[in-house]
Amino acid sequence: MVANLQNLKAPTEADFHQAISACSGRWYSACLKITRDPELAADAVQDALLNAWQKRHQFDNAARLETWIHRIVINAALQRLRKLRPGVLQSLGTEIPDSSNTPHGAHADSVIHASLSAALAGLTDIERVCFVLKHLEEWRLSEIAGELGTNVGAVKQAVFRAVRKLRVDLSTLRSEPA
Amino acid sequence: MNDESLLLYYFDDGLSDRERHEIEASLAADASLASRYAGLCAQLDAWNGTPTTPLPEQLLHRWHHSIAAAARQERARRRNPVRSVNLPSFAWGAVISAALALVIGIGINRTADESVRPAFEVGVEAGAAPVAVTSRAVFERSMELYLRDARQDLTMLGAQPADDRMLLVRQIIEQNRLFERTAANNDAQDLARVLRAFEPILLRLAADDVAPADAEALRVQLAFELDVMLTKLGRDTSKQATST
């Protein structure tokens, strides 16, 4: 009972400020990878912080506040992306053209993409979101599918395409003469 | 065995137990497959180490401010549940809004001939395609948020208890110094000077012995500066929109 009561102790304003100082760079960076838009990313962090503040009484003290907020931040970024481009995350079932096979192709793209963050820009929204959530945020495939309203198979395919394109882009770049 | 199976094996997700055991057995039996898998792991691990994007300092301030404002609103509601307006949130909302408005106003003039120059870049490794963010866009966004509080509460600061008022003004001074440093760090010395000019007014407001009439005059002065800069900002923004 005592433990339960302790777990119900909500984080204070000071806890939030501490979390912001320590982790907001990581939150912003994650949002930026998902949205590719600095303003959207900043707004997503802001939404998430206020949302977390409102719901802080639901926070379980057994978890880390930073991690709890991080998850809310990611959801806020997805919401912002959905709002900006409605339907973009619902088209997982359809095959998406592979841009590396277009006339402009992997070679041109890879010259531009000198880092992973830049190479992510070469992915479609769906591929990028699934890759970021799976690989960088370490969500389970089933969690991603649930969040995006699709099935695990479709998420797997999006992650496969993303990794394939990234490997081509980044390895081609490495083989470019200086 | 294809890379997709190896990828799921790496993620430890999306495979049945039987599939996992099959992959394990294949990796143990086939040296070339094990080598291919090691290469895949190395690449994926390297991507995990992607550095965090540098965080613009003004965003950090904006988020701290949001939480501080939300907390103040809550405290105000608890103190006076029937009062619908958040009185204590006025002060630094107004001052920072005014400061930001000044910053933007000057920034617009200063960068009129270089309006597309990015203030900072995301993904700045050599050869990367950066995502450019103009300082103006960021400041405008922040200002909008602060202005909302300021417009609502500006005229009601005088109704605050003296202790709350002093506490708020001290917070404003600290925040103003942060913005001043941000401007200086971004090579915007003019902006830093403008923000510095706010401090004497704020210090007078925070003084124990300031007479109510004087405090009111200072608040009015601040409100006036805010309105002037808002007007100027609106004019400059519409000018830019027309010219583009």
Side-chain angles (χ1 to χ4, degrees):
Chain A
M1 183 64 181
V2 173
N4 284 342
L5 285 175
Q6 279 175 343
N7 282 351
L8 289 175
K9 189 181 170 220
T12 64
E13 182 187 347
D15 294 332
F16 270 78
H17 285 302
Q18 198 174 9
I20 292 170
S21 296
C23 295
S24 57
R26 211 150 46 82
W27 302 335
Y28 177 67
S29 195
C31 286
L32 202 51
K33 286 189 176 81
I34 289 172
T35 64
R36 293 293 302 166
D37 181 319
E39 282 193 36
L40 276 189
D43 287 348
V45 175
Q46 168 109 351
D47 291 349
L49 280 170
L50 292 176
N51 195 10
W53 175 258
Q54 297 297 330
K55 294 180 176 171
R56 67 191 186 281
H57 297 287
Q58 298 171 16
F59 172 68
D60 179 355
N61 277 23
R64 288 186 67 223
L65 179 63
E66 293 85 349
T67 310
W68 183 64
I69 296 176
H70 189 109
R71 183 64 184 243
I72 298 173
V73 164
I74 297 296
N75 283 324
L78 293 172
Q79 271 181 9
R80 285 271 169 181
L81 195 59
R82 280 197 198 97
K83 204 170 163 186
L84 182 75
R85 296 195 276 276
V88 76
L89 299 181
Q90 271 72 52
S91 54
L92 273 164
T94 59
E95 185 56 37
I96 294 143
D98 188 337
S99 61
S100 64
N101 292 332
T102 62
H104 294 295
H107 177 75
D109 283 348
S110 65
V111 173
I112 297 167
H113 300 159
S115 68
L116 175 64
S117 59
L120 285 172
L123 305 180
T124 64
D125 283 334
I126 295 161
E127 292 162 354
R128 190 180 65 256
V129 167
C130 288
F131 173 78
V132 169
L133 293 181
K134 178 65 235 172
H135 186 52
L136 304 180
E137 298 300 323
E138 299 180 354
W139 285 25
R140 306 297 294 173
L141 291 166
S142 54
E143 286 180 291
I144 302 171
E147 180 62 37
L148 302 184
T150 186
N151 57 62
V152 168
V155 175
K156 278 183 189 175
Q157 290 308 315
V159 173
F160 293 157
R161 282 198 303 271
V163 171
R164 203 162 52 230
K165 286 184 188 178
L166 290 173
R167 293 184 84 189
V168 168
D169 278 358
L170 296 170
S171 63
T172 310
L173 177 75
R174 274 199 300 273
S175 65
E176 287 287 318
Chain B
M1 180 159 309
N2 60 28
D3 278 358
E4 280 75 15
S5 299
L6 293 176
L7 191 60
L8 293 176
Y9 184 75
Y10 171 89
F11 286 140
D12 192 14
D13 193 8
L15 292 172
S16 65
D17 285 347
R18 189 176 60 80
E19 288 168 327
R20 282 196 66 77
H21 290 139
E22 280 175 8
I23 293 172
E24 271 165 12
S26 300
L27 287 171
D30 183 344
S32 69
L33 180 66
S35 168
R36 189 152 60 90
Y37 178 65
L40 176 68
C41 292
Q43 202 160 24
L44 289 165
D45 289 344
W47 294 347
N48 253 339
T50 306
T52 300
T53 307
L55 179 67
E57 204 172 346
Q58 59 265 38
L59 286 181
L60 191 62
H61 298 163
R62 172 179 151 189
W63 297 329
H64 278 299
H65 170 75
S66 296
I67 290 299
R72 274 199 307 276
Q73 279 179 1
E74 248 184 44
R75 283 194 294 271
R77 273 199 299 271
R78 274 202 299 271
R79 268 203 303 268
N80 188 358
V82 296
R83 193 163 60 191
S84 61
V85 178
N86 165 36
L87 298 181
S89 70
F90 148 69
W92 78 340
V95 173
I96 297 303
S97 296
L100 284 169
L102 283 166
V103 163
I104 293 163
I106 291 168
I108 290 169
N109 287 337
R110 209 171 70 90
T111 60
D113 58 344
E114 48 176 336
S115 58
V116 295
R117 191 187 70 173
F120 58 89
E121 293 176 343
V122 178
V124 290
E125 290 175 49
V131 178
V133 185
T134 63
S135 58
R136 187 181 164 200
V138 173
F139 277 125
E140 277 181 348
R141 174 72 68 170
S142 302
M143 186 186 69
E144 271 176 32
L145 295 169
Y146 290 122
L147 286 185
R148 219 171 289 145
D149 278 351
R151 284 209 179 272
Q152 187 179 10
D153 300 337
L154 180 60
T155 56
M156 305 171 92
L157 178 68
Q160 285 303 295
D163 287 351
D164 283 1
R165 213 164 45 224
M166 280 176 58
L167 184 67
L168 284 168
V169 174
R170 284 178 186 148
Q171 285 179 332
I172 295 164
I173 291 170
E174 284 178 24
Q175 187 77 353
N176 199 53
R177 286 174 182 166
L178 286 174
F179 271 83
E180 182 198 320
R181 278 204 300 276
T182 304
N185 289 341
N186 285 283
D187 198 25
Q189 302 307 327
D190 287 348
L191 313 185
R193 270 195 296 277
V194 171
L195 295 175
R196 242 186 325 270
F198 272 100
E199 189 153 329
I201 304 175
L202 294 168
L203 286 170
R204 280 162 63 201
L205 260 177
D208 290 335
D209 57 352
V210 64
D214 292 341
E216 183 57 28
L218 291 169
R219 286 193 294 275
V220 169
Q221 182 187 348
L222 218 49
F224 175 76
E225 299 281 1
L226 176 63
D227 287 340
V228 168
M229 293 316 299
L230 277 173
T231 306
K232 177 172 167 45
L233 174 67
R235 205 169 46 227
D236 289 344
T237 306
S238 61
K239 251 189 220 168
Q240 286 214 342
T242 312
S243 66
T244 52

